[in-house]
Amino acid sequence: MGEPWWKQAVFYQIYPRSFADSDGDGIGDLAGIRSHLSDLAWLGVDALWISPFYRSPMTDFGYDVSDYCDVDPLFGTLDDFDALLADAHALGLKVIVDWVPNHTSDRHPWFLDALAGRSSAHRNWYVWRDARPDGAPPNNWVAAFDPSAPAWTFDEPSGQWYLHLFEPSQPDLNWDEPAVVDAMHEVLRFWLERGVDGFRADVIHAIGKDPDLPDDPPALFGIPHCALNDVPVTHERLRDIRALVDGYSGDRVIVGEVFLLSTAAVATYYGHDDELHLAFNFPPLFAPWMHHPWSDCIESTYGALDVRSAWPTWVLSNHDNPRHRTRYDFGGSLMGENEATRDRRSEARARAAAVLLMTLRGTPFLYQGEELGLLDAIVTPERRVDPGGRDGCRAPIPWDGTDTHGWPTGAGIEAWLPFPPDSDHRNHADQRRDPGSMLHLYRRLIDLRHRAPALATGGFDLLEITEGVLGYTRTDGDESYAVLVNFTGQEVTTADGSTGEPDHASVSLVGTRVEISSTRPGEGEPFDGLLAADQAVVLRL
Ligand code: GLC
Ligand code: MG
C-alpha cells in the first residue's frame, strides 16, 4: 500500500470546549473527549483533529496561545493529553493537533517581554512599525472579524504599532526573525515527540509577509488582510516545516488552513509535494444547496489541484462558520416554508450533503455534531461571547435527551453556550438507538468508504443527469459506483446518465443496487430511477 493513510482517512474535528465535559464546569475538556473515544470509533472515523487546548487567556477561545507546550487547566493536563492519545491510538484513531504559528496571545511571555521596550530580547519576535507621518497606522490592512478595524494597535509606551491580523490580543509573530522560526519548530517537535500524527496549521499562509508591508489595493478595502496575504517567502518556510515533519516516522500529516479566496492560489501551498500535505478547501463550506454552485466547486477544485497531483479535502462545516444544515435552511430558500417543512427539508438536505461529502475524491473532514444533523444554537445577546460572532456553531454536543444532555452539572453551572435546537430528541443517544437516524447514515457511509477503495481514492467523473441533479462515478479497476444528488425540492426520474465525453457513453442506472440512500428505504434493492426531493443515493454499477 503506497498511499499515505490520510488520503483514505475520514477526519473528525473536535472543538474541545464543546465536545464533552468531565468535571462539571460547563466547559468541555480532554478527559471528556477521552470518555467518548469509543463513540467515535463506533462511528468509524479514522482521525481526530483537536482544536487548541493549550494555555490561553481565551479571548479567541484557545486560538490565542500563551504557552504552546502545555495544556490549559480548563482542559486538563499534559498527562490527560497523553492518556487521550494512548487510548485513541489503542482504538486505531490518529490524532492531529492545532498549531497556531501566525500569532501568539498578547499574554504570551514573548509578547510581554516585547512590550518591555524597543531593545527587549523579544521585541523583534513581533511586527512593529512607526506610524505614518500623519499618525495613521503603518498601512491600511484590516483585521479579521471587523471590516472597520485596523490590523494594528498602538503601544503608547514605545510609540510604535504592532501588527495583528486577528484581534489586538493576537499579535502576529515575525517569521523574518530566525529565533521565531526556531521556537515554532521546537513546538512541532514537542508534539511530534509526544506521538501526535500531525497538525492542523492555523492561517498558515500568513506566516510570510511582504517585507514592505504594502497597502492592500483600495478596491479590496474591508476584506481582512488574512484573506489576501499570499507571498512567496511563505513557501520557503513551508518547505522547512514539511521537511521537519517528514523527518518523523509514520506519515505524519500537515493540513493547512490557507484562507485565500481562490482555489488556484490555495493549490500552490501544496508546493510540489514539499509543502502542505493537505489544505482545506473553503468553497464547499460556503456553497448553497444548489446543483451548479456545487458542480462548479467540484470541477474547479479538481482542476486546480490535479495539475499538481495535490490531494483535495472536503468540508461542510467547522467552528468558524454557520453549520451547513443552518445554511441550507436560512440561506437555502426554505425561509417561506412553515417550521415543520423546513425542519424536514433541512434534515433531508443535510443527509444528502453527507452522501456528497463521503463520496467525493479527497479527504473528508466532519465537524463534531454534523453526524447528528445539528443546527446552530440560537444564542441570545447576553450569552454571546465570541468577537467573531461564531457562537452558534460552537454549541455543546447533546449526548442524550436529559435536561443536561450528558453534561455534568455543578451547582448553578450550565454549559458555556446554549444547546442546539431540539436537543431533547436530536442527540447522540436517541440517534444511536434509531437505525434510520443521521448518525447511522454517517456510519454506513464511512463503512462503505472503508470497504470500497473506489469511493476513497478511485477516479472521479461527472455524469450528465438532468437539471438539478448532480451525478458522478467513482471507479477503481472494475469496481464502480454512481452517486446521484437531487438538489431540487421535486421528485425526479432518471433512468441513465451520460459521461459527457464526445461519444456520450451512457451509464444505465435503473436496476443497479442501491448501496446507500440518504433516506434509507430502498438500500440493498435495485434502483427504480426515482429520486425524492433532496435525496442522494450511492449505486453500485
Ligand atoms: C483560524 C481559526 C479561527 C481563529 C483564527 C485566528 O481562522 O480557525 O477560529 O479565530 O484562525 O487564530
Ligand atoms: Mg470541564
Side-chain angles (χ1 to χ4, degrees):
M1 288 272 320
E3 297 286 21
W5 62 270
W6 41 263
K7 282 196 176 174
Q8 290 150 71
V10 176
F11 278 76
Y12 184 96
Q13 180 192 357
I14 293 182
Y15 190 72
R17 293 181 74 87
S18 305
F19 188 68
D21 183 20
S22 73
D23 60 0
D25 65 353
I27 297 176
D29 44 48
L30 296 180
I33 298 172
R34 189 174 168 215
S35 71
H36 284 286
L37 287 175
S38 59
D39 295 323
L40 298 172
W42 174 85
L43 177 60
V45 296
D46 304 283
L48 312 178
W49 150 32
I50 310 179
S51 279
F53 47 80
Y54 316 112
R55 278 193 188 265
S56 164
M58 304 286 167
T59 65
D60 192 16
F61 299 105
Y63 283 97
D64 49 324
V65 180
S66 58
D67 184 347
Y68 290 99
C69 299
D70 201 4
V71 173
D72 194 276
L74 265 182
F75 296 125
T77 62
L78 278 173
D79 285 344
D80 291 329
F81 179 79
D82 291 342
L84 164 59
L85 187 63
D87 281 10
H89 283 167
L91 287 167
L93 295 165
K94 308 265 188 195
V95 176
I96 69 169
V97 297
D98 226 298
W99 180 56
V100 188
N102 178 66
H103 46 266
T104 69
S105 159
D106 62 346
R107 305 283 97 195
H108 195 293
W110 302 336
F111 192 68
L112 294 178
D113 181 59
L115 285 176
R118 291 190 184 211
S119 59
S120 71
H122 294 87
R123 183 72 174 184
N124 196 43
W125 285 41
Y126 295 87
V127 184
W128 297 93
R129 289 289 185 282
D130 294 333
R132 283 191 270 199
D134 63 355
N139 69 19
N140 72 353
W141 293 1
V142 169
F145 310 142
D146 174 359
S148 64
W152 297 91
T153 288
F154 188 62
D155 172 51
E156 208 57 74
S158 68
Q160 286 192 306
W161 298 75
Y162 68 85
L163 177 67
H164 51 85
L165 298 189
F166 293 86
E167 292 284 286
S169 61
Q170 296 166 292
D172 275 47
L173 282 163
N174 173 19
W175 275 72
D176 293 333
E177 165 59 53
V180 165
V181 178
D182 290 347
M184 292 312 294
H185 283 187
E186 255 332 287
V187 173
L188 292 172
R189 290 194 192 94
F190 178 87
W191 292 102
L192 288 164
E193 271 150 37
R194 278 203 119 73
V196 303
D197 300 290
F199 301 93
R200 178 268 188 185
D202 190 61
V203 283
I204 190 67
H205 62 296
I207 63 172
K209 311 266 182 340
D210 184 318
D212 299 330
L213 303 179
D215 277 348
D216 284 328
L220 301 178
F221 192 74
I223 300 181
H225 182 74
C226 67
L228 303 170
N229 191 85
D230 184 17
V231 297
V233 68
T234 307
H235 298 279
E236 269 167 49
R237 291 178 185 157
L238 278 173
R239 287 192 284 276
D240 293 343
I241 290 163
R242 170 70 177 258
L244 186 162
V245 171
D246 281 355
Y248 286 77
S249 62
D251 272 339
R252 320 269 179 130
V253 65
I254 317 168
V255 50
E257 182 198 27
V258 179
F259 193 76
L260 292 172
L261 309 174
S262 114
T263 309
V266 173
T268 65
Y269 287 80
Y270 286 81
H272 299 281
D273 196 21
D274 57 357
E275 297 184 31
L276 297 173
H277 300 92
L278 294 174
F280 286 121
N281 180 20
F282 286 100
L285 191 66
F286 306 119
W289 186 247
M290 290 168 75
H291 178 192
H292 291 291
W294 263 98
S295 54
D296 290 351
C297 155
I298 291 167
E299 286 188 290
S300 64
T301 298
Y302 293 151
L305 268 59
D306 288 355
V307 290
R308 292 182 166 257
S309 309
W311 190 247
T313 65
W314 295 98
V315 50
L316 298 170
S317 287
N318 67 16
H319 65 295
D320 288 331
N321 295 283
R323 286 182 175 278
H324 58 278
R325 179 162 183 182
T326 305
R327 282 189 282 117
Y328 296 159
D329 180 347
F330 294 96
S333 70
L334 298 182
M335 257 330 227
E337 311 273 8
N338 71 43
E339 205 168 315
T341 306
R342 268 177 43 189
D343 198 54
R344 185 172 48 72
R345 289 206 54 201
S346 72
E347 163 107 9
R349 289 172 173 191
R351 284 170 175 257
V355 172
L356 192 52
L357 177 70
M358 287 313 167
T359 58
L360 286 170
R361 187 169 59 83
T363 299
F365 282 76
L366 277 63
Y367 174 51
Q368 62 179 35
E370 74 173 68
E371 75 281 15
L372 304 174
L374 297 185
L375 285 158
D376 284 8
I378 315 266
V379 185
T380 55
E382 315 82 70
R383 292 201 66 178
R384 283 186 201 147
V385 288
D386 177 48
R390 299 162 292 184
D391 300 310
C393 65
R394 298 174 176 181
I397 297 299
W399 288 100
D400 61 36
T402 64
D403 287 351
T404 58
H405 301 302
W407 286 59
T409 38
I413 291 176
E414 50 181 355
W416 74 292
L417 284 172
F419 285 94
D422 305 317
S423 290
D424 52 341
H425 61 87
R426 194 177 294 139
N427 59 62
H428 184 90
D430 282 35
Q431 293 199 29
R432 186 96 168 230
R433 282 190 291 269
D434 172 7
S437 66
M438 181 98 65
L439 180 62
H440 277 266
L441 171 64
Y442 268 87
R443 184 170 188 251
R444 291 198 305 281
L445 282 163
I446 295 170
D447 175 57
L448 177 63
R449 196 180 162 97
H450 285 152
R451 286 187 286 113
L455 290 177
T457 50
F460 175 99
D461 285 295
L462 278 176
L463 277 178
E464 280 171 22
I465 307 284
T466 182
E467 185 55 34
V469 178
L470 173 69
Y472 48 87
T473 55
R474 301 297 318 278
T475 305
D476 182 59
D478 52 16
E479 182 190 59
S480 194
Y481 292 84
V483 179
L484 306 178
V485 184
N486 180 5
F487 283 89
T488 75
Q490 278 84 48
E491 186 178 83
V492 173
T493 314
T494 160
D496 51 26
S498 146
T499 56
E501 298 301 319
D503 57 353
H504 278 258
S506 125
V507 177
S508 33
L509 304 169
V510 169
T512 60
R513 183 186 145 94
V514 179
E515 287 290 339
I516 303 264
S517 159
S518 61
T519 52
R520 185 144 150 99
E523 284 183 4
E525 291 166 22
F527 183 52
D528 60 5
L530 286 184
L531 284 172
D534 300 308
Q535 186 191 3
V537 291
V538 184
L539 307 174
R540 176 72 205 251
L541 298 181

